[in-house]
Amino acid sequence: MHLIVQAAILGLLTGGVYALMASGLTLAFGVMRVINVAQGAMIVAGAYVSYTMFTQLQIDPFVSIVIMAPAAFVVGVAVQLVFLRPLRSDEREELSLLVTWAIALGIEGILGIFYQTTLRATRPSYVNDSLTLFGYDVSVVRLAAFAASCVILVLLYLMLQHTRFGRAIRATVQNPTAASLLGVESNRVAAYGFGISVATATAAGAVFGMITPFNAGSHYDLISRLLTIIVLGGMGSLGGAVIAALFMGMSEAILAVEMSPTWASLWFFVILVLVLLIRPQGLLGTPERGKL
Amino acid sequence: MKRVTPAGLARGAAVTAAGLAFPLLVTAPYLMTIAIFTVMYAALATSWNLLGGFSGYLSLGHAAFFGVGAYAEAIVFTHIGIGGGYRPFAMVPLIGLGVAVAAIPIAIVFLRVRGATFAIVTISLLFIVQLLAFNLRSLTNGAQGMSMAIPPFPVATYERPFYYAMLAVFLGSVLCCWIVSTGKLGLMLFAIRDDEDRAHGLGIRVTAAKVIAFCVSAGLFAMPGAIWAYYEGFIYPQFAVDPLVTIGAVLMAFLGGRGTIWGPMLGALILVPAQQYLAYSQGASQLYLIGYSAVFLVIMLLMPRGIIPSLRDLAVSHNPFDRPAGNGESKPSTSGVSP
């Protein structure tokens, strides 16, 4: 029992990081019907940049988030303008998958040239510290990673609920045509929305780099998990993505203890197939209407 | 719709003749290797097109079927002991058939969702097969991989049997695409591509049509995998179940023109020799990834419909008597598939 609770705590903390990673993905889909397959590659890129800042300039990985996120926002806006906006709106959803997959390959290739394929990990001085809470060991880095993810998610939530721009985003998610009739500039919302999505990806990358060793090829593993999470949560639903991420993080960790880590990776796909069979629209998603 | 047109027949005959004659004119082994990969990707892109081009359901996980084909061949070779030489080639059609049947339940589950969701759940198929290849050690030997004995073909023409096997699979795929596109199933798939709800409302059995297209496409996609495994002689999980196989096939179908008969082959003829040349001369797989990425982005931005449809539009818009209503920008028309 002790072991299972210990695994559940670990899984919850990992799930928080998954939630941050998935939030950007589901936001981009909600706002512009773009599935960013490059999200995993952008997370890995964030992890590498944070790793380099730490090893070369001794900048703490949590501090590097504050530096990287604005830069990543600008990159995201640029990517949206150059690669995604030119796609015809009636085919955007499907073509964006291929375009972002191509971007992911490009990022993988560039990272591979600079860093080769050695597995890296960002290891600040406190990486092996742990706290003991009620008899359970909790790693400080994972706790801090979880806390940072929660802070960013809360900021994201507050922005969506209480700012003018956030309302514009939510309006676009609900009904793009009506939103633009009411004066929401859909192009600007799409560009900024994608920028935010990339910024959350690199922020998640900085914490990911501390809890998991990574190399340029890690993005396939990440994106396959994240896609399962957003399908389970309901495509485009932020709340659904957070719930799904926490659930998947915990259940995977418990399974890894109870069965074996190798088979626990298949768990994501078991869940995916179950979702398709039982509730294709996901936990909090709306059923597909018309030609989705 | 006429089933056999003289122009279509001529195109088919020309491609078959060129394919058959190639090894007799060119004997350098490295050129034959490039030719084998070109024909392999032509077959893969053509069979992907049967689902992705005709029905509009973009599958990004077809490399899983390629991997299953490769592993099936290696498993039959190792565990059943069918013997070397030409015999493993006889297994290829059986493997294709087996994969097509095995794909039925997968198709029924995965086709419950549409559009982008379908595409992303198919990606997971790739990782499922890769994980199985790693974890089912008694069958697949896990990460250590499986090897097959080198067949005793004469050195001077060693590549020929593999080449002709690939060519046969490719021509078979083209034939399947042609039969489907000129028949009732093709009409159903084109209707689904254009507006699935309306097609369903008009009484088309959309699920049946989609499942059939998925399974045929999967079975055809597995066969080059089986030949490839025999040609390579050694396979391991990341090598046999490689996302780049899907990306390559999709890229070629898009470049040539998805939904056309010969477009995917055209894409393969353009891209594979360039890709193989890069791989030989540069060696670095990273540069190769960046090259793939760049070509893909340029095609998607400048010519999202591919070479053949773009050329056809150009030809039509220069003919003042035959101008389509929606000028060149209209969606790919549903009235069948030529070239």
Side-chain angles (χ1 to χ4, degrees):
Chain A
M1 193 60 209
H2 185 271
L3 203 59
I4 293 179
V5 176
Q6 179 73 61
I9 294 173
L10 188 71
L12 180 71
L13 299 182
T14 315
V17 180
Y18 282 155
L20 179 60
M21 293 172 175
S23 64
L25 199 58
T26 207
L27 187 72
F29 181 78
V31 177
M32 354 165 227
R33 304 274 131 186
V34 161
I35 294 181
N36 183 11
V37 182
Q39 186 87 353
M42 287 165 175
I43 291 168
V44 174
Y48 270 119
V49 173
S50 152
Y51 168 83
T52 308
M53 282 206 243
F54 177 71
T55 50
Q56 303 297 319
L57 308 169
Q58 281 78 47
I59 297 174
D60 186 89
F62 289 105
V63 179
S64 69
I65 293 177
V66 185
I67 307 170
M68 279 193 305
F73 176 80
V74 175
V75 172
V77 171
V79 167
Q80 204 277 342
L81 289 179
V82 177
F83 296 118
L84 299 174
R85 185 167 301 176
L87 300 178
R88 292 225 321 268
S89 60
D90 57 334
E91 309 181 306
R92 182 172 293 151
E93 191 174 314
E94 277 141 7
L95 296 190
S96 72
L97 269 163
L98 300 172
V99 168
T100 55
W101 195 338
I103 294 173
L105 288 181
I107 296 176
E108 186 188 346
I110 292 169
L111 291 176
I113 287 176
F114 280 108
Y115 297 95
Q116 283 79 44
T117 49
T118 330
L119 283 174
R120 318 256 173 174
T122 320
R123 302 185 65 81
S125 55
Y126 46 87
V127 75
N128 289 323
D129 298 353
S130 67
L131 302 171
T132 308
L133 294 173
F134 308 109
Y136 297 104
D137 289 327
V138 181
S139 137
V140 170
V141 168
R142 283 177 187 268
L143 193 63
F146 179 76
S149 304
C150 290
V151 168
I152 298 171
L153 281 172
V154 168
L155 288 177
L156 194 63
Y157 176 78
L158 290 177
M159 185 210 64
L160 286 176
Q161 292 298 322
H162 296 290
T163 64
R164 220 181 136 70
F165 175 63
R167 276 194 289 273
I169 287 188
R170 283 187 293 135
T172 312
V173 173
Q174 281 166 11
N175 191 334
T177 318
S180 59
L181 282 175
L182 291 172
V184 172
E185 273 205 59
S186 56
N187 276 337
R188 193 184 294 169
V189 167
Y192 291 173
F194 198 73
I196 291 172
S197 155
V198 175
T200 58
T202 50
V207 292
F208 172 72
M210 285 185 287
I211 59 177
T212 318
F214 57 92
N215 69 10
S218 306
H219 76 97
Y220 281 118
D221 185 46
L222 271 175
I223 196 65
S224 66
R225 284 155 194 264
L226 296 181
L227 292 176
T228 306
I229 287 172
I230 65 165
V231 170
L232 171 61
M235 304 279 290
S237 157
L238 194 58
V242 172
I243 296 171
L246 294 178
F247 170 70
M248 291 311 299
M250 288 174 72
S251 55
E252 189 195 15
I254 292 172
L255 273 182
V257 171
E258 288 289 292
M259 292 168 63
S260 76
T262 39
W263 288 108
S265 335
L266 265 183
W267 172 240
F268 272 78
F269 306 120
V270 173
I271 287 287
L272 186 68
V273 170
L274 288 180
V275 172
L276 294 184
L277 283 174
I278 299 165
R279 197 174 156 83
Q281 72 270 36
L283 292 176
L284 302 186
T286 43
E288 296 169 39
R289 63 190 135 75
K291 197 180 180 198
L292 178 81
Chain B
M1 190 184 316
K2 259 192 294 184
R3 281 180 75 90
V4 182
T5 60
L9 209 58
R11 269 191 290 266
V15 170
T16 311
L20 287 173
F22 185 82
L24 307 176
L25 306 173
V26 178
T27 45
Y30 81 99
L31 285 177
M32 278 306 291
T33 305
I34 293 180
I36 289 174
F37 278 99
T38 309
V39 178
M40 177 179 100
Y41 270 104
L44 294 176
T46 303
S47 46
W48 179 86
N49 188 40
L50 184 62
L51 179 72
F54 290 178
S55 76
Y57 273 75
L58 296 184
S59 163
L60 299 181
H62 261 51
F65 300 119
F66 181 85
V68 171
Y71 266 100
E73 178 84 8
I75 287 168
V76 168
F77 190 88
T78 317
H79 294 283
I80 302 179
I82 42 163
Y86 294 97
R87 262 170 263 158
F89 290 121
M91 297 308 298
V92 173
L94 291 179
I95 289 171
L97 199 63
V99 170
V101 172
I104 294 173
I106 299 174
I108 291 173
V109 173
F110 279 31
L111 287 165
R112 286 171 62 86
V113 286
R114 300 186 191 176
T117 318
F118 173 78
I120 69 177
V121 298
T122 57
I123 297 180
S124 69
L125 202 56
L126 199 75
F127 299 104
I128 295 174
V129 170
Q130 211 179 58
L131 270 173
L132 289 177
F134 267 118
N135 292 349
L136 297 175
R137 284 201 199 88
S138 57
L139 203 58
T140 65
N141 225 358
Q144 285 167 340
M146 303 181 82
S147 56
M148 300 170 76
I150 296 170
F153 300 147
V155 178
T157 57
Y158 179 78
E159 280 85 6
R160 274 190 200 173
F162 300 103
Y163 174 86
Y164 282 120
M166 287 287 189
L167 186 68
V169 172
F170 163 62
L171 292 173
S173 304
V174 171
L175 192 65
C176 277
C177 275
W178 179 78
I179 291 170
V180 167
S181 72
T182 52
K184 195 177 164 197
L185 180 61
L187 288 177
M188 288 157 87
L189 295 175
F190 300 141
I192 289 169
R193 179 178 69 188
D194 286 351
D195 190 336
E196 183 165 347
D197 288 322
R198 198 179 296 173
H200 193 216
L202 288 171
I204 292 174
R205 298 176 61 187
V206 289
T207 309
K210 290 188 294 186
V211 169
I212 293 171
F214 188 99
C215 294
V216 172
S217 172
L220 289 173
F221 210 91
M223 289 198 277
I227 302 168
W228 170 85
Y230 194 35
Y231 179 59
E232 294 286 345
F234 177 67
I235 59 171
Y236 54 93
Q238 299 101 318
F239 186 43
V241 193
D242 185 350
L244 285 179
V245 171
T246 307
I247 278 289
V250 176
L251 177 55
M252 288 156 203
F254 266 81
L255 174 62
R258 71 197 140 122
T260 62
I261 298 279
W262 296 108
M265 180 199 74
L266 189 64
L269 282 180
I270 295 170
L271 287 178
V272 182
Q275 168 205 343
Q276 292 286 321
Y277 172 77
L278 258 182
Y280 276 115
S281 63
Q282 305 292 330
S285 63
Q286 270 77 23
L287 281 176
Y288 167 88
L289 283 180
I290 296 173
Y292 246 55
S293 155
V295 173
F296 214 138
L297 289 173
V298 167
I299 292 168
M300 299 301 288
L301 294 179
L302 300 183
M303 210 192 274
R305 293 183 41 209
I307 294 173
I308 288 180
S310 300
L311 286 180
R312 204 186 298 149
D313 275 2
L314 210 64
V316 171
S317 64
H318 279 261
N319 179 354
F321 300 107
D322 188 17
R323 198 177 284 271
N327 67 52
E329 280 296 292
S330 61
K331 274 186 114 170
S333 93
T334 53
S335 53
V337 173
S338 48

mmCIF file with all atom_site columns, all heavy atoms in Angstrom, chain B residues 119-133:
data_model
loop_
_atom_site.group_PDB
_atom_site.id
_atom_site.type_symbol
_atom_site.label_atom_id
_atom_site.label_alt_id
_atom_site.label_comp_id
_atom_site.label_asym_id
_atom_site.label_entity_id
_atom_site.label_seq_id
_atom_site.pdbx_PDB_ins_code
_atom_site.Cartn_x
_atom_site.Cartn_y
_atom_site.Cartn_z
_atom_site.occupancy
_atom_site.B_iso_or_equiv
_atom_site.pdbx_formal_charge
_atom_site.auth_seq_id
_atom_site.auth_comp_id
_atom_site.auth_asym_id
_atom_site.auth_atom_id
_atom_site.pdbx_PDB_model_num
ATOM 1   N N   . ALA B 1 119 ? -6.329 11.291 -37.480 1.00 0.00 ? 119 ALA B N   1
ATOM 2   C CA  . ALA B 1 119 ? -4.898 11.333 -37.807 1.00 0.00 ? 119 ALA B CA  1
ATOM 3   C C   . ALA B 1 119 ? -4.059 11.138 -36.557 1.00 0.00 ? 119 ALA B C   1
ATOM 4   O O   . ALA B 1 119 ? -3.094 10.368 -36.566 1.00 0.00 ? 119 ALA B O   1
ATOM 5   C CB  . ALA B 1 119 ? -4.549 12.655 -38.488 1.00 0.00 ? 119 ALA B CB  1
ATOM 6   N N   . ILE B 1 120 ? -4.445 11.798 -35.449 1.00 0.00 ? 120 ILE B N   1
ATOM 7   C CA  . ILE B 1 120 ? -3.561 11.670 -34.289 1.00 0.00 ? 120 ILE B CA  1
ATOM 8   C C   . ILE B 1 120 ? -3.707 10.319 -33.607 1.00 0.00 ? 120 ILE B C   1
ATOM 9   O O   . ILE B 1 120 ? -2.744 9.816  -33.058 1.00 0.00 ? 120 ILE B O   1
ATOM 10  C CB  . ILE B 1 120 ? -3.696 12.838 -33.291 1.00 0.00 ? 120 ILE B CB  1
ATOM 11  C CG1 . ILE B 1 120 ? -5.011 12.830 -32.573 1.00 0.00 ? 120 ILE B CG1 1
ATOM 12  C CG2 . ILE B 1 120 ? -3.461 14.157 -33.952 1.00 0.00 ? 120 ILE B CG2 1
ATOM 13  C CD1 . ILE B 1 120 ? -5.105 13.930 -31.562 1.00 0.00 ? 120 ILE B CD1 1
ATOM 14  N N   . VAL B 1 121 ? -4.895 9.703  -33.672 1.00 0.00 ? 121 VAL B N   1
ATOM 15  C CA  . VAL B 1 121 ? -4.940 8.369  -33.048 1.00 0.00 ? 121 VAL B CA  1
ATOM 16  C C   . VAL B 1 121 ? -4.174 7.353  -33.892 1.00 0.00 ? 121 VAL B C   1
ATOM 17  O O   . VAL B 1 121 ? -3.612 6.408  -33.351 1.00 0.00 ? 121 VAL B O   1
ATOM 18  C CB  . VAL B 1 121 ? -6.372 7.865  -32.737 1.00 0.00 ? 121 VAL B CB  1
ATOM 19  C CG1 . VAL B 1 121 ? -7.047 8.776  -31.753 1.00 0.00 ? 121 VAL B CG1 1
ATOM 20  C CG2 . VAL B 1 121 ? -7.188 7.672  -33.967 1.00 0.00 ? 121 VAL B CG2 1
ATOM 21  N N   . THR B 1 122 ? -4.091 7.575  -35.202 1.00 0.00 ? 122 THR B N   1
ATOM 22  C CA  . THR B 1 122 ? -3.301 6.634  -35.999 1.00 0.00 ? 122 THR B CA  1
ATOM 23  C C   . THR B 1 122 ? -1.814 6.743  -35.675 1.00 0.00 ? 122 THR B C   1
ATOM 24  O O   . THR B 1 122 ? -1.083 5.774  -35.807 1.00 0.00 ? 122 THR B O   1
ATOM 25  C CB  . THR B 1 122 ? -3.494 6.817  -37.511 1.00 0.00 ? 122 THR B CB  1
ATOM 26  O OG1 . THR B 1 122 ? -3.171 8.157  -37.847 1.00 0.00 ? 122 THR B OG1 1
ATOM 27  C CG2 . THR B 1 122 ? -4.897 6.480  -37.932 1.00 0.00 ? 122 THR B CG2 1
ATOM 28  N N   . ILE B 1 123 ? -1.374 7.956  -35.257 1.00 0.00 ? 123 ILE B N   1
ATOM 29  C CA  . ILE B 1 123 ? 0.038  8.083  -34.871 1.00 0.00 ? 123 ILE B CA  1
ATOM 30  C C   . ILE B 1 123 ? 0.336  7.076  -33.761 1.00 0.00 ? 123 ILE B C   1
ATOM 31  O O   . ILE B 1 123 ? 1.388  6.444  -33.723 1.00 0.00 ? 123 ILE B O   1
ATOM 32  C CB  . ILE B 1 123 ? 0.373  9.503  -34.370 1.00 0.00 ? 123 ILE B CB  1
ATOM 33  C CG1 . ILE B 1 123 ? 0.169  10.516 -35.483 1.00 0.00 ? 123 ILE B CG1 1
ATOM 34  C CG2 . ILE B 1 123 ? 1.821  9.586  -33.878 1.00 0.00 ? 123 ILE B CG2 1
ATOM 35  C CD1 . ILE B 1 123 ? 0.470  11.945 -35.077 1.00 0.00 ? 123 ILE B CD1 1
ATOM 36  N N   . SER B 1 124 ? -0.649 6.910  -32.849 1.00 0.00 ? 124 SER B N   1
ATOM 37  C CA  . SER B 1 124 ? -0.400 6.038  -31.701 1.00 0.00 ? 124 SER B CA  1
ATOM 38  C C   . SER B 1 124 ? -0.192 4.584  -32.139 1.00 0.00 ? 124 SER B C   1
ATOM 39  O O   . SER B 1 124 ? 0.523  3.830  -31.486 1.00 0.00 ? 124 SER B O   1
ATOM 40  C CB  . SER B 1 124 ? -1.545 6.130  -30.714 1.00 0.00 ? 124 SER B CB  1
ATOM 41  O OG  . SER B 1 124 ? -2.681 5.537  -31.269 1.00 0.00 ? 124 SER B OG  1
ATOM 42  N N   . LEU B 1 125 ? -0.796 4.211  -33.266 1.00 0.00 ? 125 LEU B N   1
ATOM 43  C CA  . LEU B 1 125 ? -0.644 2.856  -33.791 1.00 0.00 ? 125 LEU B CA  1
ATOM 44  C C   . LEU B 1 125 ? 0.838  2.499  -33.970 1.00 0.00 ? 125 LEU B C   1
ATOM 45  O O   . LEU B 1 125 ? 1.286  1.389  -33.666 1.00 0.00 ? 125 LEU B O   1
ATOM 46  C CB  . LEU B 1 125 ? -1.359 2.795  -35.143 1.00 0.00 ? 125 LEU B CB  1
ATOM 47  C CG  . LEU B 1 125 ? -1.803 1.453  -35.664 1.00 0.00 ? 125 LEU B CG  1
ATOM 48  C CD1 . LEU B 1 125 ? -2.687 0.775  -34.650 1.00 0.00 ? 125 LEU B CD1 1
ATOM 49  C CD2 . LEU B 1 125 ? -2.565 1.651  -36.963 1.00 0.00 ? 125 LEU B CD2 1
ATOM 50  N N   . LEU B 1 126 ? 1.560  3.494  -34.460 1.00 0.00 ? 126 LEU B N   1
ATOM 51  C CA  . LEU B 1 126 ? 3.001  3.364  -34.679 1.00 0.00 ? 126 LEU B CA  1
ATOM 52  C C   . LEU B 1 126 ? 3.728  2.991  -33.398 1.00 0.00 ? 126 LEU B C   1
ATOM 53  O O   . LEU B 1 126 ? 4.563  2.095  -33.359 1.00 0.00 ? 126 LEU B O   1
ATOM 54  C CB  . LEU B 1 126 ? 3.460  4.743  -35.141 1.00 0.00 ? 126 LEU B CB  1
ATOM 55  C CG  . LEU B 1 126 ? 4.737  4.913  -35.848 1.00 0.00 ? 126 LEU B CG  1
ATOM 56  C CD1 . LEU B 1 126 ? 4.532  4.416  -37.246 1.00 0.00 ? 126 LEU B CD1 1
ATOM 57  C CD2 . LEU B 1 126 ? 5.055  6.392  -35.915 1.00 0.00 ? 126 LEU B CD2 1
ATOM 58  N N   . PHE B 1 127 ? 3.351  3.699  -32.314 1.00 0.00 ? 127 PHE B N   1
ATOM 59  C CA  . PHE B 1 127 ? 4.060  3.477  -31.055 1.00 0.00 ? 127 PHE B CA  1
ATOM 60  C C   . PHE B 1 127 ? 3.622  2.170  -30.421 1.00 0.00 ? 127 PHE B C   1
ATOM 61  O O   . PHE B 1 127 ? 4.410  1.520  -29.748 1.00 0.00 ? 127 PHE B O   1
ATOM 62  C CB  . PHE B 1 127 ? 3.851  4.670  -30.124 1.00 0.00 ? 127 PHE B CB  1
ATOM 63  C CG  . PHE B 1 127 ? 4.383  5.932  -30.718 1.00 0.00 ? 127 PHE B CG  1
ATOM 64  C CD1 . PHE B 1 127 ? 3.539  6.886  -31.246 1.00 0.00 ? 127 PHE B CD1 1
ATOM 65  C CD2 . PHE B 1 127 ? 5.752  6.139  -30.807 1.00 0.00 ? 127 PHE B CD2 1
ATOM 66  C CE1 . PHE B 1 127 ? 4.045  8.027  -31.836 1.00 0.00 ? 127 PHE B CE1 1
ATOM 67  C CE2 . PHE B 1 127 ? 6.260  7.281  -31.392 1.00 0.00 ? 127 PHE B CE2 1
ATOM 68  C CZ  . PHE B 1 127 ? 5.401  8.228  -31.906 1.00 0.00 ? 127 PHE B CZ  1
ATOM 69  N N   . ILE B 1 128 ? 2.363  1.791  -30.649 1.00 0.00 ? 128 ILE B N   1
ATOM 70  C CA  . ILE B 1 128 ? 1.904  0.504  -30.123 1.00 0.00 ? 128 ILE B CA  1
ATOM 71  C C   . ILE B 1 128 ? 2.735  -0.615 -30.740 1.00 0.00 ? 128 ILE B C   1
ATOM 72  O O   . ILE B 1 128 ? 3.275  -1.475 -30.038 1.00 0.00 ? 128 ILE B O   1
ATOM 73  C CB  . ILE B 1 128 ? 0.408  0.297  -30.416 1.00 0.00 ? 128 ILE B CB  1
ATOM 74  C CG1 . ILE B 1 128 ? -0.433 1.337  -29.676 1.00 0.00 ? 128 ILE B CG1 1
ATOM 75  C CG2 . ILE B 1 128 ? -0.035 -1.102 -29.999 1.00 0.00 ? 128 ILE B CG2 1
ATOM 76  C CD1 . ILE B 1 128 ? -1.903 1.304  -30.007 1.00 0.00 ? 128 ILE B CD1 1
ATOM 77  N N   . VAL B 1 129 ? 2.871  -0.594 -32.078 1.00 0.00 ? 129 VAL B N   1
ATOM 78  C CA  . VAL B 1 129 ? 3.600  -1.671 -32.747 1.00 0.00 ? 129 VAL B CA  1
ATOM 79  C C   . VAL B 1 129 ? 5.071  -1.668 -32.333 1.00 0.00 ? 129 VAL B C   1
ATOM 80  O O   . VAL B 1 129 ? 5.667  -2.720 -32.106 1.00 0.00 ? 129 VAL B O   1
ATOM 81  C CB  . VAL B 1 129 ? 3.435  -1.561 -34.282 1.00 0.00 ? 129 VAL B CB  1
ATOM 82  C CG1 . VAL B 1 129 ? 4.375  -2.506 -34.993 1.00 0.00 ? 129 VAL B CG1 1
ATOM 83  C CG2 . VAL B 1 129 ? 1.996  -1.846 -34.661 1.00 0.00 ? 129 VAL B CG2 1
ATOM 84  N N   . GLN B 1 130 ? 5.633  -0.459 -32.190 1.00 0.00 ? 130 GLN B N   1
ATOM 85  C CA  . GLN B 1 130 ? 7.037  -0.390 -31.780 1.00 0.00 ? 130 GLN B CA  1
ATOM 86  C C   . GLN B 1 130 ? 7.230  -0.980 -30.379 1.00 0.00 ? 130 GLN B C   1
ATOM 87  O O   . GLN B 1 130 ? 8.160  -1.753 -30.148 1.00 0.00 ? 130 GLN B O   1
ATOM 88  C CB  . GLN B 1 130 ? 7.511  1.061  -31.809 1.00 0.00 ? 130 GLN B CB  1
ATOM 89  C CG  . GLN B 1 130 ? 8.986  1.181  -32.134 1.00 0.00 ? 130 GLN B CG  1
ATOM 90  C CD  . GLN B 1 130 ? 9.433  2.613  -32.193 1.00 0.00 ? 130 GLN B CD  1
ATOM 91  O OE1 . GLN B 1 130 ? 9.287  3.348  -31.224 1.00 0.00 ? 130 GLN B OE1 1
ATOM 92  N NE2 . GLN B 1 130 ? 9.965  3.031  -33.325 1.00 0.00 ? 130 GLN B NE2 1
ATOM 93  N N   . LEU B 1 131 ? 6.305  -0.615 -29.471 1.00 0.00 ? 131 LEU B N   1
ATOM 94  C CA  . LEU B 1 131 ? 6.389  -1.159 -28.106 1.00 0.00 ? 131 LEU B CA  1
ATOM 95  C C   . LEU B 1 131 ? 6.255  -2.679 -28.119 1.00 0.00 ? 131 LEU B C   1
ATOM 96  O O   . LEU B 1 131 ? 6.977  -3.379 -27.407 1.00 0.00 ? 131 LEU B O   1
ATOM 97  C CB  . LEU B 1 131 ? 5.266  -0.578 -27.250 1.00 0.00 ? 131 LEU B CB  1
ATOM 98  C CG  . LEU B 1 131 ? 5.576  0.714  -26.513 1.00 0.00 ? 131 LEU B CG  1
ATOM 99  C CD1 . LEU B 1 131 ? 4.310  1.242  -25.845 1.00 0.00 ? 131 LEU B CD1 1
ATOM 100 C CD2 . LEU B 1 131 ? 6.647  0.469  -25.466 1.00 0.00 ? 131 LEU B CD2 1
ATOM 101 N N   . LEU B 1 132 ? 5.325  -3.188 -28.951 1.00 0.00 ? 132 LEU B N   1
ATOM 102 C CA  . LEU B 1 132 ? 5.148  -4.638 -29.014 1.00 0.00 ? 132 LEU B CA  1
ATOM 103 C C   . LEU B 1 132 ? 6.422  -5.299 -29.546 1.00 0.00 ? 132 LEU B C   1
ATOM 104 O O   . LEU B 1 132 ? 6.853  -6.336 -29.039 1.00 0.00 ? 132 LEU B O   1
ATOM 105 C CB  . LEU B 1 132 ? 3.947  -4.995 -29.891 1.00 0.00 ? 132 LEU B CB  1
ATOM 106 C CG  . LEU B 1 132 ? 2.587  -4.656 -29.301 1.00 0.00 ? 132 LEU B CG  1
ATOM 107 C CD1 . LEU B 1 132 ? 1.479  -4.979 -30.294 1.00 0.00 ? 132 LEU B CD1 1
ATOM 108 C CD2 . LEU B 1 132 ? 2.358  -5.420 -28.001 1.00 0.00 ? 132 LEU B CD2 1
ATOM 109 N N   . ALA B 1 133 ? 7.029  -4.687 -30.558 1.00 0.00 ? 133 ALA B N   1
ATOM 110 C CA  . ALA B 1 133 ? 8.246  -5.266 -31.117 1.00 0.00 ? 133 ALA B CA  1
ATOM 111 C C   . ALA B 1 133 ? 9.348  -5.314 -30.069 1.00 0.00 ? 133 ALA B C   1
ATOM 112 O O   . ALA B 1 133 ? 10.146 -6.252 -30.025 1.00 0.00 ? 133 ALA B O   1
ATOM 113 C CB  . ALA B 1 133 ? 8.703  -4.464 -32.334 1.00 0.00 ? 133 ALA B CB  1
#
